[in-house]
Amino acid sequence: MQHIHLAEISQAGLQLAIQEIKDEMFDTPECDYTIAKLLCHCSQFEAAERQLDDMLLKWGSSPDVVELTEKGYAMVATMSANVATPAPHSTVRQATRQTMVAA
């Protein structure tokens, strides 16, 4: 029996979602931004940044494109910082578990 890894399924699903976005939004800066946003929500921050870099190279520095890329880079920075910092409720749960184990 063939083993299927969850990461492979997730990656395949992500690629399908990206293709669906491209099919629906066509080739626009907004499409590229939406793909970067999806990548960011999937914690693929480096891929999201590359998408934004490519978007800027592809579409140039018109005010609309610059605004979208700046918004995208800010989103990546914020979301990646949130992933790196544990959520307050998880810290409380962890402290509660340690207290229960110590008792």
Side-chain angles (χ1 to χ4, degrees), residues 15-74:
Q15 292 305 315
L16 285 172
I18 289 171
Q19 188 57 50
E20 186 70 24
I21 290 169
K22 288 179 179 179
D23 291 346
E24 291 292 319
M25 298 184 77
F26 305 106
D27 195 19
T28 63
E30 290 79 9
C31 176
D32 292 339
Y33 171 77
T34 302
I35 292 169
K37 191 173 175 181
L38 173 64
L39 291 166
C40 209
H41 283 287
C42 293
S43 298
Q44 295 195 13
F45 304 112
E46 289 180 17
E49 284 183 336
R50 277 193 309 275
Q51 181 74 27
L52 293 167
D53 292 343
D54 291 345
M55 180 178 115
L56 193 55
L57 290 172
K58 181 175 166 183
W59 297 105
S61 58
S62 73
D64 292 344
V65 173
V66 170
E67 181 181 343
L68 276 177
T69 54
E70 287 176 355
K71 185 176 171 183
Y73 288 130

Side-chain angles (χ1 to χ4, degrees), residues 95-103:
T96 304
R97 280 191 213 125
Q98 290 174 348
T99 304
M100 290 172 59
V101 170

